[in-house]
């Protein structure tokens, strides 16, 4: 559901017609064991280890990187049962104007195919609270499904507002029906735009707000919650936020503390690419500053944060950065690489 790009051509053929993606230390090989339509234009993939072994644990809000057999890497939120140690489930929306990842999953990826799976990683964690309000738009329901399940298990007070263009295009309605009136399903064709102010009510302490969906929904959420306590609202985006020009328009140096190598990063070249050219490989995926894969510790210097993940407090701390998009304010950065 997150932003994505072409990484490299990892696809290879194997005997029997099943396609395979070689594993790397952070990428496991998992097999597609089920492919299920769940709404118009939406399907789920269930993935398991070919050996039947246990998968890595995950928490609500986590996503995985899928390295597809055609060489594309895409991020999808885990939306299955986190207590099932042997299966991951992700939901995939067919994007009519996408860059080929969702079309490949819908049209070509088959049960039995092997994909590379990186993670899970969680940039959208469910923090402890006695009360939650969840707002989903379209495929943005996927990271919120495990959250509402967790809130229910913990006995928290929670409600979910779920919008989409048409009821037929809204996935997981059967799953959500079990929660009764805690869930408000509001297709736009029946109800118009979501009544965010009416659903959220007046600002009050002790309530955590979680929202995932298209950019207009998240912008509206930020506007409506402007008077809420700081950090009450947490969001996850499909695409990176618009960024202005970098602070620096001149080259800067990056010292790699573990190797002692220093590289010069000129304008127009990412830190990720510059350190890669110096022989230091950093796992990356989206190259938009939204997936969190390329996070690096900052030991010295002043980063120019250009990601869509860190909040204001984390940016002010300056001790980590996403090197696919972020740059430097200072002449020199020292990274924990």
């Amino acid at each position: 559901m997150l932003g994505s790009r072409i990484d490299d051509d990892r696809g290879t053929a194997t005997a029997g017609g099943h396609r395979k993606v070689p594993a790397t230390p952070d990428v496991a090989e998992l097999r597609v064991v089920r492919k299920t339509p769940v709404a118009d234009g939406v399907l789920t993939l269930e993935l398991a280890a070919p050996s039947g072994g246990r998968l890595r644990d995950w928490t609500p809000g986590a996503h995985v990187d899928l390295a597809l057999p055609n060489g594309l890497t895409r991020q999808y939120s885990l939306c299955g049962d986190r207590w099932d140690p042997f299966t991951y489930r992700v939901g995939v929306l067919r994007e009519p104007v996408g860059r080929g990842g969702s079309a490949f999953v819908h049209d070509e990826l088959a049960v039995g195919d092997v994909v590379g799976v990186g993670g899970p990683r969680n940039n959208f964690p469910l923090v402890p609270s006695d009360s939650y309000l969840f707002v989903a738009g379209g495929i943005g329901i996927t990271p919120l499904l495990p959250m509402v399940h967790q809130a229910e298990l913990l006995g928290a007070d929670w409600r979910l507002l779920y919008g989409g263009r048409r009821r037929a295009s809204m996935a997981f309605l059967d799953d959500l029906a079990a929660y009764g009136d805690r869930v408000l399903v509001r297709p736009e064709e029946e109800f118009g735009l979501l009544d965010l102010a009416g659903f959220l009510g007046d600002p009050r302490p002790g309530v955590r707000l979680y929202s995932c969906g298209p950019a207009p929904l998240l912008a509206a959420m930020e506007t409506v919650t402007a008077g809420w306590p700081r950090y009450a609202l947490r969001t996850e985006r499909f695409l990176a936020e618009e960024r202005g020009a970098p602070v620096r328009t001149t080259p800067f140096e990056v010292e790699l503390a573990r190797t002692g190598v220093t590289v010069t990063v000129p304008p127009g070249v990412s830190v990720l690419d510059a350190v890669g050219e110096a022989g230091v490989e950093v796992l990356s995926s989206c190259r938009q500053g939204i997936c969190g894969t390329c996070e690096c510790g900052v030991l010295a210097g002043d980063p120019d944060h250009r990601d869509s993940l860190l909040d204001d407090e984390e940016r002010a701390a300056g001790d980590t950065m996403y090197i696919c998009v972020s740059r430097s304010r200072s002449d020199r950065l020292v990274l924990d690489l």
Side-chain angles (χ1 to χ4, degrees):
M1 58 153 288
L2 298 171
S4 49
R5 66 176 291 276
I6 295 177
D7 262 4
D8 49 39
D9 187 6
R10 301 182 184 177
T12 57
T14 61
H18 292 316
R19 291 155 292 183
K20 185 177 181 181
V21 177
T24 69
D26 193 54
V27 179
E29 290 182 343
L30 300 186
R31 192 177 300 280
V32 179
V33 296
R34 189 170 289 107
K35 183 177 178 180
T36 308
V38 291
D40 289 351
V42 183
L43 59 77
T44 58
L45 296 177
E46 293 183 35
L47 308 167
S51 65
R54 184 184 181 97
L55 304 181
R56 296 173 182 171
D57 292 339
W58 58 281
T59 54
H63 72 273
V64 291
D65 305 312
L66 258 58
L68 300 169
N70 66 347
L72 302 178
T73 298
R74 298 292 185 261
Q75 294 79 42
Y76 297 105
S77 295
L78 290 168
C79 60
D81 180 2
R82 63 171 295 216
W83 304 110
D84 176 358
F86 304 108
T87 309
Y88 288 157
R89 183 178 75 164
V90 298
V92 182
L93 169 70
R94 179 190 287 277
E95 296 280 4
V97 294
R99 288 169 287 178
S102 67
F104 180 86
V105 170
H106 276 255
D107 298 336
E108 299 187 48
L109 191 67
V111 171
D113 282 353
V114 172
V115 298
V117 177
R121 277 178 287 275
N122 199 340
N123 304 314
F124 191 42
L126 184 70
V127 299
S129 181
D130 292 329
S131 183
Y132 300 97
L133 293 174
F134 302 103
V135 179
I139 198 63
I141 189 63
T142 50
L144 301 186
L145 275 180
M147 292 188 181
V148 300
H149 181 64
Q150 182 78 359
E152 183 76 3
L153 287 177
L154 294 174
D157 178 33
W158 68 271
R159 289 187 297 141
L160 166 67
L161 177 62
Y162 180 19
R165 292 182 180 176
R166 299 177 297 112
R167 189 177 294 269
S169 68
M170 298 172 67
F172 309 114
L173 293 182
D174 289 344
D175 294 6
L176 293 168
Y179 297 116
D181 60 6
R182 285 182 180 268
V183 177
L184 298 179
V185 176
R186 294 292 184 266
E188 186 176 347
E189 66 178 1
E190 300 174 27
F191 296 91
L193 296 177
L194 294 178
D195 179 11
L196 299 178
F199 175 72
L200 299 175
D202 295 329
R204 52 201 183 276
V207 182
R208 295 286 186 169
L209 315 176
Y210 281 80
S211 185
C212 183
L217 170 64
L218 300 187
M221 284 290 294
E222 290 170 352
T223 298
V224 171
T225 61
W228 282 71
R230 193 180 184 191
Y231 303 130
L233 174 65
R234 288 174 173 249
T235 62
E236 185 163 68
R237 299 179 178 275
F238 297 146
L239 298 172
E241 297 176 89
E242 291 293 328
R243 294 184 293 266
V247 171
R248 293 180 66 95
T249 57
T250 56
F252 57 92
E253 291 188 336
V254 172
E255 179 184 339
L256 311 181
R258 299 186 200 176
T259 61
V261 172
T262 296
V263 299
T264 299
V265 183
V269 176
S270 70
V271 176
L272 176 67
D273 287 340
V275 301
E277 290 173 5
V280 178
E281 291 190 13
V282 178
L283 187 67
S284 65
S285 182
C286 74
R287 290 184 175 247
Q288 296 183 56
I290 58 175
C291 75
T293 307
C294 67
E295 182 176 9
C296 289
V298 178
L299 304 180
D302 186 9
D304 175 14
H305 295 292
R306 300 172 57 75
D307 62 272
S308 301
L309 289 167
L310 298 176
D311 60 32
D312 291 344
E313 188 172 303
E314 291 165 331
R315 293 182 180 209
D319 55 4
T320 191
M321 66 183 289
Y322 298 99
I323 63 173
C324 66
V325 292
S326 295
R327 303 186 66 79
S328 181
R329 295 173 178 270
S330 52
D331 293 336
R332 186 179 184 87
L333 286 175
V334 180
L335 299 183
D336 187 16
L337 288 174

